[in-house]
Amino acid sequence: MTRGDNKVYLRGLIEFSNICRKNCYYCGIRCDNRSVERYELTDDEVLAAADFAWRHRYGSVVLQSGEQQSPAFTGRITALLQRIKAHTHNEVGITLSCGEQSEATYREWFDAGAHRYLLRIETSDRELYYKLHPNDNKHSFDARLEALNNLKKIGYQTGTGVMIGLPFQTMQHLADDLLFFKTMDVDMVGMGPYLEHKDTPLYRYADKLLPLEKRFELSLRMITALRMLMPDINIAATTALQVLDPEGREKAVMAGANVIMPNITLPSVRPNYQIYDNKPGLHDDAGGTLSTLENALHKAGITIGYSEWGDSKHFKPHSVAG
Ligand code: 5AD
Ligand code: SF4
C-alpha cells in the first residue's frame, strides 16, 4: 500500500507524570487506584529525555501524562515546551498528550511550540463510552468531543483513537469508530488492543473478552481498514500491540501504520506507568530499546525518517488571510 512515502517516523515517548484526576474504568493509573506510586519527572529529567531523542535523530517527542488541570500544570508545560524548543534549536517536533484542557490552555501550549495533540475518544459510541467511564462531569463524552474540536480549530495536527476488543464492544462499534475518524477529519490515529488491568473495575469482565490473539488480529485489521479509508494520515503502531506480540509494532507497520513511539521515559519510573498489565520494555534502557527496534525495522525493509518531524500529510494549516 502506498502512502506517498514509505517511511516510518519515530516519536520519543516521555511519560512525565502518572498523576491523573480521572477514573476511567479500564486504566491502571486511574486516580482511585491507591496501589500506584505517583511520580512527576523534574523539568531537567524531561529535558534530558528530549535531548536523548534529539541526539538519536528522532524527529519528535511526545509528552504524555495523566490528566491534571491547574494553572501551575499549564504554566509548567508551557515553560517545558519553550525549553525543549530552545535546546534543540527548534529541530524536535513536540506532540502533547495531556488530556482534556480548556481552549485557552490548548492555545497557550500551541503558541509555546506544541504542534500536535493526541486525545483518544476511546470509543465513538456514547453509550459504550459511559460503560467505560463514570457518568459525571469529569468524564463527559461531549466535553471530549468539544476538546477535539478546539484542538482542530486552534491549528494542531489532531490525533485521536480507540481501544479494540473492549467489553461490550461490537463490530458495528468498530466500523463506526473508523467512520468517526473520517468524519472528524483527524490527522493522526493511535489505536490498539484493550488489555485488562487487575486493579480496575473493568477487570470483572475479563472472562468475556476476545482471546488476546483475536484482539491483536482485529487491531491489525482496523489499521489496514483505516489506511484504506484515510491514506494520508499518520497511524501509530501502538505499544499495546507489542504486549501481544514482540514484533507487534513491525507487523502494524506492514498493516499500514507509519509512526512508532518508542518509550524513552527514565527506566526508574517506568513501572509506575502501568496503564495495563504486562506493559513491555519496563526494564530496557532507552538506547537498547531503540537499536533493537531499528534492527527489526531494517530487517523488515522499512525506512526510518530520521530527524524529520513526519507531519501528517493530511494536515492543511489554516490559510492565513492576505
Ligand atoms: N488497555 C489498552 N489501552 C489502554 N489505555 C488506557 N488503559 C488501557 C488499557 N487497559 C489507553 C487509552 C488512553 C491511552 C493513553 O492508553 O486509550 O487514551
Ligand atoms: Fe487518566 Fe488517561 Fe488513565 Fe483515564 S486513561 S485514568 S485520563 S491516564
Side-chain angles (χ1 to χ4, degrees):
M1 199 171 308
T2 174
R3 296 183 294 267
D5 72 39
N6 272 325
K7 286 187 199 163
V8 164
Y9 299 99
L10 299 177
R11 323 263 186 245
L13 177 63
I14 308 169
E15 294 160 335
F16 67 89
S17 169
N18 66 353
I19 298 170
C20 187
R21 64 192 279 270
K22 281 193 169 166
N23 241 330
C24 308
Y25 293 149
Y26 44 84
C27 178
I29 62 170
R30 62 200 301 272
C31 68
D32 277 1
N33 186 2
R34 307 271 174 244
S35 49
V36 175
E37 195 187 320
R38 303 290 164 172
Y39 73 88
E40 186 131 28
L41 296 187
T42 64
D43 288 0
D44 285 345
E45 287 168 334
V46 176
L47 195 72
D51 179 74
F52 172 92
W54 184 44
R55 288 182 194 288
H56 286 78
R57 298 184 297 141
Y58 284 41
S60 21
V61 292
V62 181
L63 299 184
Q64 186 161 62
S65 67
E67 190 173 290
Q68 294 185 50
Q69 293 180 347
S70 71
F73 183 74
T74 302
R76 183 186 174 209
I77 302 299
T78 302
L80 262 174
L81 289 165
Q82 289 162 344
R83 270 187 83 183
I84 295 172
K85 282 287 172 185
H87 179 81
T88 66
H89 312 298
N90 198 27
E91 282 176 23
V92 168
I94 309 177
T95 306
L96 288 178
S97 179
C98 305
E100 287 166 36
Q101 304 289 341
S102 68
E103 188 180 339
T105 294
Y106 283 153
R107 203 174 285 281
E108 179 175 321
W109 291 346
F110 186 77
D111 292 339
H115 70 140
R116 297 188 282 241
Y117 203 102
L118 304 172
L119 183 68
R120 288 188 179 181
I121 190 76
E122 314 295 359
T123 172
S124 61
D125 185 89
R126 183 184 296 268
E127 242 174 73
L128 180 56
Y129 191 90
Y130 286 115
K131 289 185 177 140
L132 310 175
H133 302 92
N135 194 345
D136 61 22
N137 58 4
K138 244 196 229 178
H139 301 83
S140 153
F141 184 71
D142 289 315
R144 196 136 187 115
L145 285 177
E146 192 187 331
L148 280 170
N149 282 317
N150 283 338
L151 290 165
K152 286 186 62 175
K153 185 170 78 184
I154 291 164
Y156 281 96
Q157 288 173 56
T158 303
T160 191
V162 294
M163 285 174 285
I164 297 163
L166 287 159
F168 317 113
Q169 191 179 42
T170 62
M171 290 299 138
Q172 182 69 51
H173 288 136
L174 290 172
D176 288 341
D177 288 340
L178 295 174
L179 296 176
F180 172 83
F181 302 146
K182 181 85 177 172
T183 312
M184 276 296 285
D185 197 28
V186 293
D187 307 295
M188 318 179 287
V189 170
M191 51 187 178
Y194 162 68
L195 300 170
E196 56 271 35
H197 188 295
K198 58 184 175 340
D199 298 328
T200 61
L202 227 53
Y203 193 73
R204 77 175 78 111
Y205 304 108
D207 60 341
K208 298 202 167 37
L209 301 170
L210 282 176
L212 288 173
E213 61 276 15
K214 290 278 175 222
R215 270 180 260 168
F216 181 78
E217 208 181 285
L218 194 54
S219 301
L220 292 190
R221 281 173 201 261
M222 284 285 284
I223 289 174
T224 301
L226 179 62
R227 177 54 75 206
M228 290 192 283
L229 197 63
M230 303 184 78
D232 57 358
I233 64 168
N234 278 349
I235 302 179
T238 54
T239 313
L241 284 163
Q242 198 193 345
V243 180
L244 301 186
D245 182 332
E247 288 171 19
R249 293 181 302 181
E250 293 83 343
K251 288 181 181 169
V253 169
M254 300 318 276
N258 69 326
V259 167
I260 297 186
M261 311 202 302
N263 195 337
I264 58 166
T265 310
L266 284 178
S268 58
V269 297
R270 274 189 219 180
N272 300 326
Y273 212 96
Q274 285 283 86
I275 47 182
Y276 39 74
D277 290 333
N278 306 314
K279 196 167 167 223
L282 283 185
H283 305 293
D284 300 338
D285 74 291
T289 312
L290 178 63
S291 53
T292 316
L293 176 71
E294 284 176 294
N295 284 336
L297 290 172
H298 188 71
K299 258 200 215 142
I302 296 160
T303 313
I304 299 175
Y306 282 110
S307 301
E308 294 181 52
W309 284 9
D311 284 341
S312 167
K313 295 188 173 45
H314 187 74
F315 178 74
K316 303 277 175 297
H318 295 175
S319 53
V320 182

